[in-house]
Amino acid sequence: TLEAMDTTDAPQIIEHINKQINYTPYDNKWVPFSKRFVAMGIHPNAKGAMQVYELNKGELELVVDVTKPNGIKCGTFGASSIEERHLATGDHAGALAIYDLERPDVALYSQQAHSSIINAIDGCGGMDIGNGAPEIVTGGRDGCVRLWDPRVNEPVLALEPGEGQPARDCWTVAFGNSFSDDERCIVAGYDNGDIKLFDLRANAIRYETNVANGVTSVEFDRKDIEMNKMVVTTLESKFRLFDMRTQHPTGGFTCLTEKAHKATVWCVRHLPQNRDIFMTGGGNGGFNLYKYHYPTARSKPAKDDAPMGVVGNVELLNSRVLSSQPIVSLDWSPDKEGLCVLSCLDQTLRVFIVTKLNKY
């Protein structure tokens, strides 16, 4: 249990800055190769908030503050080059936009991507992470997942509900398996617990399953390697970790289920410097830090002699409840190990330092 956990030698979770804001935050991302992060959300009058803060001697200095016509739900730098560091965002009206944070008043690129709110966005092919073309994937309340190339105006690919089928709200999307110019996958999670893995090279659904609870967040431990493992967080205080190296013809991928936070697990993020460490943000305002331990053998023959994946186990390194309200987004700094920013629904942005991660 958490009460009995000895954390004397564990990574310590230290609050560095706690900043009160006047809007509801939805997402935050570190600006790559800088000491700045961007915070996105919605004002009480339903206008969009986009702010860039810079760390300055223990304080947060507001360097960009713009208001957009609609609330901003999500953002990513994943499809931008290192030199440009352009932010792609999805908003409450279904618009996908790309901004230069040096001149954020007007979007460089804008498309009506979905008929209503864009719940999730991810990018790949930029930041020297992942091979292949820069692409953005969006998931919306309209049940559609669309793939975008920022150089063209039409979606490259659309995964939409079939004729006559009810549209399930897509809550989360992520890229993975982008280890060569040809290979790339998208995983999408839905409000009814569906998870769909789409292989972009084969142009086909590679795997689908249902985890019985709405999927709030999904992330591969790395985008730019052969699929290794994937964490899926859900309602009802659970997350699942899938071993993605071995797919059985009928059994699919093997996974473990872990209970956490005694509330919805809102988000998961793997440490950029170590793919086997990840943290989850909970509906209880809690922050859990885990390490994954691999099994001695990654696969074993199943009854039909086809290889079946073997999953290891997760160790809770440390845990801390930061707020009475849910942690809805978090992001590790790609440049400084252990530095993270997170947003809570108590209208705060918080910068934390997690120590001793280099020991794991």
Side-chain angles (χ1 to χ4, degrees), residues 20-97:
Q20 196 75 35
I21 52 176
N22 62 355
Y23 59 89
T24 301
Y26 282 140
D27 201 2
N28 45 248
K29 290 283 185 287
W30 286 101
V31 180
F33 305 101
S34 78
K35 53 182 182 177
R36 291 172 295 161
F37 66 85
V38 58
M40 296 155 274
I42 188 167
H43 284 290
N45 64 359
K47 300 289 188 197
M50 187 196 294
Q51 295 183 321
V52 178
Y53 287 94
E54 185 166 329
L55 295 182
N56 192 353
K57 298 178 181 162
E59 298 291 326
L60 280 184
E61 188 182 322
L62 181 62
V63 290
V64 172
D65 187 5
V66 288
T67 302
K68 296 296 173 187
N70 299 290
I72 300 174
K73 187 72 170 71
C74 48
T76 179
F77 288 99
S80 170
S81 70
I82 288 173
E83 298 76 34
E84 293 176 328
R85 295 185 290 188
H86 289 164
L87 176 72
T89 63
D91 75 12
H92 274 238
L96 164 67

Side-chain angles (χ1 to χ4, degrees), residues 303-331:
K303 288 177 181 171
D304 59 359
D305 288 340
M308 185 98 177
V310 177
V311 72
N313 63 327
V314 292
E315 175 192 359
L316 182 63
L317 297 179
N318 208 340
S319 161
R320 180 170 168 182
V321 174
L322 319 174
S323 165
S324 58
Q325 297 294 319
I327 296 172
V328 288
S329 73
L330 42 88
D331 196 35

Side-chain angles (χ1 to χ4, degrees), residues 45-303:
N45 64 359
K47 300 289 188 197
M50 187 196 294
Q51 295 183 321
V52 178
Y53 287 94
E54 185 166 329
L55 295 182
N56 192 353
K57 298 178 181 162
E59 298 291 326
L60 280 184
E61 188 182 322
L62 181 62
V63 290
V64 172
D65 187 5
V66 288
T67 302
K68 296 296 173 187
N70 299 290
I72 300 174
K73 187 72 170 71
C74 48
T76 179
F77 288 99
S80 170
S81 70
I82 288 173
E83 298 76 34
E84 293 176 328
R85 295 185 290 188
H86 289 164
L87 176 72
T89 63
D91 75 12
H92 274 238
L96 164 67
I98 298 178
Y99 294 98
D100 179 351
L101 292 177
E102 304 292 325
R103 293 174 289 281
D105 293 330
V106 181
L108 302 169
Y109 172 94
S110 181
Q111 291 300 323
Q112 186 63 42
H114 294 265
S115 59
S116 61
I117 184 170
I118 296 177
N119 288 318
I121 192 168
D122 194 21
C124 196
M127 292 296 141
D128 285 356
I129 295 173
N131 293 277
E135 288 178 323
I136 295 165
V137 62
T138 56
R141 182 175 288 172
D142 56 10
C144 300
V145 174
R146 294 199 170 101
L147 182 71
W148 303 86
D149 182 325
R151 299 165 297 188
V152 296
N153 291 333
E154 293 299 315
V156 180
L157 174 86
L159 303 174
E160 299 176 355
E163 282 290 320
Q165 288 185 331
R168 302 305 320 198
D169 201 332
C170 177
W171 280 354
T172 178
V173 287
F175 280 112
N177 209 39
S178 184
F179 63 91
S180 74
D181 285 349
D182 303 321
E183 295 282 351
R184 192 172 283 175
C185 284
I186 296 170
V187 63
Y190 297 83
D191 67 345
N192 62 342
D194 280 349
I195 296 170
K196 296 183 180 181
L197 179 70
F198 191 84
D199 187 326
L200 294 175
R201 184 179 63 82
N203 203 25
I205 297 271
R206 177 166 168 182
Y207 176 67
E208 49 188 326
T209 187
N210 186 287
V211 294
N213 294 115
V215 179
T216 49
S217 177
V218 59
E219 189 181 61
F220 288 98
D221 58 353
R222 288 285 180 272
K223 291 178 192 178
D224 56 343
I225 58 171
E226 276 189 71
M227 287 191 299
N228 183 49
K229 58 187 192 294
M230 173 178 83
V231 175
V232 172
T233 67
T234 67
L235 307 179
E236 301 288 343
S237 61
K238 287 195 185 100
F239 71 82
R240 285 170 174 74
L241 189 149
F242 288 81
D243 182 282
M244 302 298 286
R245 274 289 152 95
T246 313
Q247 184 174 5
H248 186 269
T250 53
F253 296 102
T254 312
C255 81
L256 66 84
T257 303
E258 189 83 5
K259 284 192 87 68
H261 298 292
K262 296 183 180 164
T264 294
V265 188
W266 279 109
C267 41
V268 58
R269 288 290 176 268
H270 290 82
L271 185 68
Q273 295 82 6
N274 181 349
R275 69 184 186 198
D276 299 326
I277 291 176
F278 61 94
M279 66 173 171
T280 58
N284 63 338
F287 172 126
N288 285 7
L289 186 71
Y290 293 92
K291 174 158 174 52
Y292 178 70
H293 296 282
Y294 289 96
T296 46
R298 298 277 312 255
S299 66
K300 64 179 182 186
K303 288 177 181 171

